[in-house]
Structures are given as C-alpha cells and as structure tokens.
Amino acid sequence: MKRFYIETFGCQMNVHDSEKVTGTLLARGYSQVDTPEAADLVLYNTCSIRDKAEQKVYSRLRQFKNGNGRLFGVLGCVAQQEGERIFERAPHVNLVCGSASYNRLPELLSQLEGGARRVTGLGLDTEETFETPLARRDNPHRAYITIIEGCDKTCAYCVVPFTRGPERSRPSASVLEEARRLADAGYSEIQLLGQNVNSYRDPSPAGWDFASLLDGVARTPGIRRVRFTTSHPRDFVKAIVEAIDANPVICNHVHLPVQSGSTRVLERMQRLYTREQYLERIGWLKGARRAIAISTDVIVGFAGESEEDFEQTLSLLKEVEYDSIFSFKYSPRPNTPALGLGDHIPDEEKGRRLTILQEKQRTIQMRRHAALVGGVEEVLVEGYNFATGQWIGRTSQNRIVNFTSAAMPAPEGGTLAGRYLRVRVTRAGPNSLAGEHAEDGAARDLL
Ligand code: 5AD
Ligand code: SF4
C-alpha cells in the first residue's frame, strides 16, 4: 500500500482543501502517515499570502536533497504562483498543482503512478468548484463547507485572485445536502468557507444570496452552530445581521477585515470602501439584538502609509473595540498591483507600527474580557489540555474558555469533547477566558 504525508500552511480554505485531498488519496488506496520520512508521497499544501509563508515550503523541500524514491508534490497558492519554476528551485518535486485544478488530482496521480516524472495542474479557467463526498475531516464535531472559491476583487496587496482564480459559487442544493449529511454523521457545527462569502451567488435557478444560504444551512436539523468566513466589507449587507438576529444557531461573531483605518490608504489598497462606509457596517453589527463579537485583519506599513494614516488605524481600533484582530506587516507580493506603488516603508518602521497596534489591541481585549467575568457562557468543548488540567471550549462569539469540571475533572472513561456546556467565567486574559463548568447546570448538561 502507498503511504502519503501532507502538511498544510495558511488559511482555513487550505485546511479544508487538504481534507478533500486526503479523502481523495484514501479512496485511491493510499494510507496517511505522520512523517515525510515514512511516506512514498510527500505533499505540501502551501500559502503565499506573505513572503514568510512562501519561504516555508522551500525550507521544507530543502530538507530533502533528492527524492530518494519518494515523490514530492507542491499544492496550493505557491504552486499556482510559481508554477514550473518550482521544478527549477527544487528539482526533486514531481507534482505542482493549484487549488483550481484539484478536480484533476486523480488523473495527475495516475500519471505519477504510471511513472511520469513531472506533472502539473495550473489551469485557472475552471468554472467548477472542488467538491468531493470523500473529504476526510480532522475535527469530529466542527466541519468546514466550501460555498465559494476564488476571488474577483483586486485588492492591491493580495495574491489570492492570482492563486485561486475567479469566483465560482457552489449550488445551494449541494451545500444544503452536505450540511444534512454532516448533521447525520454527528457534526453539530458548520463553518461556511470562501475568500469572500458575501459575494456568494447561487448558480442554480433558486438564485440564493449569502444571507439566504446562511439561513438555510442554520435550519438543518442537528446543526447547533453555523459560522462563516471571510467577509468583504464592500459586499457585507444588512440582511446578514438580520439572519443572525433571527436564528441563534448562526454564531454571533463576524470577521470583517478592515486592513486600514485611513480612507486614503484604503483607496490605494483598492478596497472599494471608505472608513465611514466600513463604520456604517460596524454600526449594523452593534445594533443587532444579540451582542455580536467583531474581529478583523489589519495590514500596517502598506506602501505610502504615513504616520497620520497609521494613527487613523489606531483610532479605528479604539472606535470599534474589536474582540480580536489579526495584524500583519505589509509584504510585497509578485503580480500584485501594489508593486507599482512607490513609498515603501522600511521593515523596521513596519515592525514599530505593528508593536504599537498590537499593544493597543491587547488593552482593548483585556478590558472586554474582564467585563465577562462572573457571567455564564455556553461553550462547545473541543478537547482537554493535560498540561493545565483544563478543558478547552469555544463560545458562539468564538472566544476560547479554559475550564475545570467537577463532574468530569479529566477525560477518564469518557470525554466532554463535542458537548455544549454552560461555563461560569472566573478569570479573563487578553486572549482567552478561564472558568468552571457551572454547578447549577452541570447535572443537567451531563444527562
Ligand atoms: N502583506 C501582508 N498581509 C497581507 N494580507 C493579505 N495580503 C497581504 C500582504 N501582501 C493579510 C490581509 C488579509 C489576511 C488574510 O492577510 O490582512 O485579510
Ligand atoms: Fe485578497 Fe481582497 Fe480577495 Fe480578500 S477579498 S482574498 S483581501 S483580494
């Protein structure tokens, strides 16, 4: 039997693609192993959003001077971006395949198994999405479902439109069918995935938009939580907030990447909204019936970002009071429009701005978390941390809660993983909460 190893870098789309690729390989009779040394086929599913991510795959490939009878494949965004150049930099690579060509993987694998030395899947002209009933999901309770692939935006810094190709939405009936199948298989949380889920357009005659799809998936019997990522502010409509209000199954958390608080920078980034338009959407979220947690992505040091522009991003943080942020130094990427812009900021200055930004956010998070102490949160239990002796759960707002449970102090003869429990918050840190499985609810929860 052939053995394969796969390592995944980057976003949740990549994580889920790897689950589909894994399922495809298992169905072909391969078995999965935990180290590249033990494998006949070594796959890296790569990310090229920033230079650091891209360099990782080359450092992995350099660990093997040659194949030594092993086959190597580079999948994902670096594969699409670099194409056949990968064979020059790493001559022992045999397969280079971008995400828009994964439908061709069975055929490409047959060629490799037949002795071909170099095969590629680099087409971007597909109108199809990569769907397979074979996906081998890593988490037994929470499942990803891809609803849209690719991206039609042209953000000046971003490689994604080049690496994942144009937008293709999946028919609503197929999404709903997968949700039903997952519920039957015991999954209780679904996360809808796409580079820009808000521009979802059902290609079937039903013609659903994203808010209708969200509502439809949330009505699947057995599904207790539905999340979605990522939203583009330009396409984020009020109907999404109304859907969250109408159905508590839809998690009260929205990730709405802002990138910068300065309208001047947003324009240079080709983000298609102003600071004011972004804040209007934040206003919708804050006006919702349930408290909706808001998170974002920020890039500091984009080409031409002045000190004043940066101050605007800091003031936006203060105004919105995000529940969490992901922040990055701008990294110039091949093929992207921003390469043509002048005024690149020195790395040291980007680092200084990043530190200031993260410090400021830490204070905000500390304050927001402190306000939750004493309250009770419902968590979906994800696992147990043996080092700390605490269970790990996640709230609908996507906060991590580490907690103890008198009813089951440790996973012996059973586990709390997969359960929905009510936990009293006793302490707050900047990135997580700590608590105790609520006494009053414990008996009922564990029935
Ligand atoms: N440099 C730095 N950060 C980037 N992102 C996307 N492209 C770049 C880049 N060239 C960030 C954005 C995006 C997140 C996924 O990664 O903030 O929302
Ligand atoms: Fe990049 Fe913009 Fe597409 Fe997001 S929406 S992936 S930032 S181009």
Side-chain angles (χ1 to χ4, degrees):
M1 193 196 283
K2 291 222 170 78
R3 290 155 301 184
F4 77 97
Y5 168 83
I6 186 164
E7 183 176 0
T8 308
F9 303 90
C11 65
Q12 285 143 317
M13 296 284 285
N14 258 18
V15 171
H16 187 38
D17 281 346
S18 287
E19 292 179 338
K20 297 188 218 176
V21 170
T22 297
T24 306
L25 285 162
L26 293 172
R28 283 183 78 82
Y30 283 75
S31 65
Q32 188 170 13
V33 292
D34 293 336
T35 63
E37 288 76 15
D40 308 298
L41 172 65
V42 177
L43 297 173
Y44 296 112
N45 190 5
T46 62
C47 169
S48 64
I49 198 101
R50 285 168 291 275
D51 188 55
K52 243 195 211 155
E54 178 173 347
Q55 294 317 320
K56 268 190 203 152
V57 62
Y58 289 111
S59 96
R60 288 292 191 281
L61 289 167
R62 272 196 300 273
Q63 289 168 7
F64 300 88
K65 288 258 172 342
N66 56 54
N68 262 346
R70 234 177 249 125
L71 296 174
F72 285 83
V74 178
L75 308 178
C77 290
V78 176
Q80 191 66 47
Q81 181 188 291
E82 296 300 303
E84 305 203 346
R85 282 197 296 271
I86 292 177
F87 295 133
E88 288 160 31
R89 279 186 73 171
H92 53 295
V93 169
N94 310 89
L95 164 71
V96 174
C97 185
S99 66
S101 302
Y102 290 162
N103 282 330
R104 290 186 52 213
L105 268 180
E107 163 205 338
L108 297 174
L109 288 167
S110 294
Q111 290 172 15
L112 281 182
E113 288 157 6
R117 245 191 65 63
R118 284 183 174 172
V119 296
T120 57
L122 294 169
L124 271 185
D125 50 0
T126 177
E127 292 191 350
E128 290 164 35
T129 50
F130 178 41
E131 284 170 44
T132 164
L134 303 169
R136 177 59 65 100
R137 289 179 163 88
D138 290 334
N139 183 313
H141 312 294
R142 180 160 29 126
Y144 294 124
I145 298 184
T146 310
I147 62 164
I148 178 169
E149 286 179 10
C151 183
D152 283 350
K153 294 284 189 291
T154 55
C155 302
Y157 49 80
C158 188
V159 287
V160 170
F162 308 95
T163 60
R164 286 190 172 267
E167 277 176 3
R168 291 94 69 196
S169 291
R170 180 174 168 188
S172 55
S174 154
V175 173
L176 293 174
E177 211 267 318
E178 185 164 17
R180 276 193 294 271
R181 231 174 5 89
L182 289 166
D184 288 346
Y187 292 90
S188 66
E189 179 176 318
I190 282 177
Q191 185 155 355
L192 303 177
L193 290 183
Q195 293 302 328
N196 179 5
V197 290
N198 309 125
S199 63
Y200 174 82
R201 268 271 146 228
D202 186 356
S204 67
W208 287 15
D209 62 6
F210 176 63
S212 320
L213 184 72
L214 190 56
D215 182 63
V217 172
R219 287 170 191 270
T220 309
I223 296 302
R224 289 184 64 166
R225 283 185 178 178
V226 179
R227 303 181 183 279
F228 54 96
T229 196
T230 281
S231 291
H232 190 296
R234 163 84 173 206
D235 304 320
F236 188 89
V237 293
K238 217 171 180 177
I240 299 171
V241 183
E242 286 159 4
I244 297 175
D245 266 343
N247 191 342
V249 168
I250 305 174
C251 289
N252 48 344
H253 168 228
V254 170
H255 184 64
L256 199 62
V258 68
Q259 314 301 356
S260 168
S262 153
T263 295
R264 199 183 71 89
V265 172
L266 289 171
E267 199 174 320
R268 284 167 70 87
M269 287 178 165
Q270 300 172 200
R271 285 290 285 178
L272 310 175
Y273 55 84
T274 61
R275 175 189 174 104
E276 287 68 35
Q277 286 166 334
Y278 180 85
L279 285 172
E280 187 189 8
R281 281 139 183 82
I282 295 293
W284 299 341
L285 292 168
K286 294 202 166 176
R289 279 203 282 277
R290 277 188 292 159
I292 298 181
I294 308 170
S295 58
T296 201
D297 294 342
V298 175
I299 297 177
V300 299
F302 185 65
E305 183 189 74
S306 66
E307 187 63 36
E308 206 183 321
D309 292 319
F310 174 60
E311 298 278 336
Q312 296 247 329
T313 300
L314 295 178
S315 87
L316 185 91
L317 247 52
K318 186 159 166 238
E319 195 164 341
V320 177
E321 293 226 295
Y322 289 105
D323 294 279
S324 72
I325 69 168
F326 297 91
S327 50
F328 314 99
K329 293 195 272 186
Y330 168 57
S331 166
R333 306 308 298 133
N335 307 319
T336 56
L339 287 182
L341 297 174
D343 297 331
H344 282 272
I345 311 285
D347 190 61
E348 205 179 308
E349 177 59 17
K350 289 181 194 168
R352 187 187 72 86
R353 292 182 190 178
L354 190 67
T355 308
I356 295 173
L357 184 91
Q358 291 177 340
E359 262 311 303
K360 181 152 190 113
Q361 178 59 22
R362 196 183 147 85
T363 314
I364 293 171
Q365 276 174 218
M366 206 50 237
R367 193 165 59 235
R368 288 186 72 76
H369 278 177
L372 299 171
V373 172
V376 171
E377 301 275 340
E378 186 190 64
V379 302
L380 165 58
V381 185
E382 296 188 346
Y384 185 77
N385 183 339
F386 283 92
T388 61
Q390 287 169 309
W391 294 94
I392 308 158
R394 195 180 289 267
T395 69
S396 173
Q397 291 193 322
N398 210 33
R399 291 184 221 278
I400 298 280
V401 186
N402 300 301
F403 66 98
T404 51
S405 170
M408 195 185 286
E412 270 171 38
T415 180
L416 296 180
R419 303 271 197 131
Y420 287 80
L421 302 181
R422 290 178 316 120
V423 172
R424 184 170 303 284
V425 179
T426 51
R427 274 178 298 123
N431 299 313
S432 64
L433 303 170
E436 288 160 7
H437 184 191
E439 281 291 319
D440 50 346
R444 203 191 63 200
D445 285 341
L446 291 181
L447 278 180

